Amino acid sequence: MARSADETARVLIEIYTDSYSYFKINWPDLRSLAGVKKLTKENLQEINGELNESGYHLVPMDNFLLVADESDVGAVRSIPPRISNQT
């Protein structure tokens, strides 16, 4: 049985809370968690929208998805302005 986007997001947040940090989930596992045979663009947008309301983000990659909050990636190094200003 398919889970709603809200229910799926709540499970992902629970996993995040239990792992104390960002995590990756592969596509088949997210499909299984959501209870669907195929994840559509709309499914992903709805799940991500629910996650965003709680400060989390779902980032699709080629082989997996990343579940994180802003503080997880806040310490990632930024490019210096001299590089971004180059033409």
Side-chain angles (χ1 to χ4, degrees):
M1 185 169 86
R3 282 191 167 108
S4 69
D6 179 55
E7 292 170 325
T8 303
R10 278 189 274 142
V11 172
L12 291 171
I13 291 168
E14 186 176 311
I15 294 168
Y16 180 96
T17 303
D18 290 346
S19 67
Y20 304 105
S21 185
Y22 61 95
F23 66 93
K24 66 181 185 178
I25 183 169
N26 64 37
W27 289 93
D29 287 343
L30 183 58
R31 281 194 303 270
S32 178
L33 185 77
V36 296
K37 291 184 179 185
K38 181 179 180 182
L39 285 165
T40 65
K41 183 178 179 179
E42 292 77 23
N43 292 134
L44 293 173
Q45 288 173 336
E46 290 174 3
I47 295 168
N48 193 36
E50 293 294 333
L51 285 169
N52 290 170
E53 289 180 16
S54 297
Y56 299 92
H57 304 279
L58 183 67
V59 183
M61 305 292 204
D62 287 338
N63 298 312
F64 59 89
L65 301 103
L66 181 68
V67 177
D69 73 8
E70 189 172 341
S71 68
D72 292 323
V73 292
V76 173
R77 200 173 72 164
S78 299
I79 62 167
R82 65 179 168 74
I83 292 175
S84 60
N85 292 333
Q86 290 179 350
T87 56

